């Protein structure tokens, strides 16, 4: 599998968004946040499919993030860590 040079940027943005208890992030808001940051680094935007794959990958070892499955706004699924004090250790530097 090829190494994605920009995965750490994406994970850093996802980590920051998922820790934010003061804002509701649905998949579109997460995608906007990630693509804005990638644009700052002159990178191509990602698709929703790539974002969903990143979230799935973060839920598996070695990351093992736990998302709050009960968060919804109407029919929209909202994304946040179960414990907002959790942080991915390798991406906390901003």
């Amino acid at each position: 599998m090829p190494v994605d040079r920009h995965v750490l940027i994406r994970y850093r943005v996802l980590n920051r968004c998922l820790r934010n208890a003061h804002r509701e992030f649905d998949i579109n808001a997460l995608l906007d946040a990630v693509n804005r940051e990638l644009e700052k680094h002159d990178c191509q935007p990602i698709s929703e499919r790539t974002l969903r794959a990143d979230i799935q990958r973060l839920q598996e070892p070695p990351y093992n993030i736990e998302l709050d499955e009960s968060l919804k706004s109407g029919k929209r699924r909202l994304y946040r860590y179960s414990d907002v004090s959790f942080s991915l250790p390798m991406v906390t530097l901003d």
Side-chain angles (χ1 to χ4, degrees):
M1 182 155 116
V3 175
D4 185 346
R5 297 179 333 157
H6 307 294
V7 72
L8 289 179
I9 295 169
R10 299 193 317 254
Y11 285 4
R12 184 175 58 226
V13 173
L14 284 173
N15 186 60
R16 186 173 41 228
C17 292
L18 295 174
R19 291 186 74 204
N20 189 343
H22 304 290
R23 178 157 179 224
E24 295 179 340
F25 286 94
D26 64 3
I27 197 73
N28 294 323
L30 288 173
L31 187 61
D32 288 343
V34 169
N35 283 334
R36 275 195 313 269
E37 188 67 24
L38 288 172
E39 185 178 308
K40 290 178 187 177
H41 294 276
D42 295 323
C43 303
Q44 293 293 321
I46 63 167
S47 66
E48 182 179 328
R49 182 178 180 177
T50 301
L51 179 62
R52 288 185 185 278
D54 284 348
I55 293 169
Q56 181 65 37
R57 210 169 300 119
L58 288 171
Q59 290 178 303
E60 298 169 355
Y63 306 107
N64 297 320
I65 68 167
E66 292 183 26
L67 298 176
D68 187 343
E69 300 290 335
S70 66
L71 292 176
K72 293 190 190 278
S73 177
K75 292 185 178 184
R76 292 181 311 139
R77 162 86 194 278
L78 301 177
Y79 293 84
R80 185 177 305 142
Y81 288 142
S82 294
D83 176 9
V84 292
S85 66
F86 174 82
S87 183
L88 293 172
M90 62 185 227
V91 296
T92 54
L93 300 174
D94 284 321

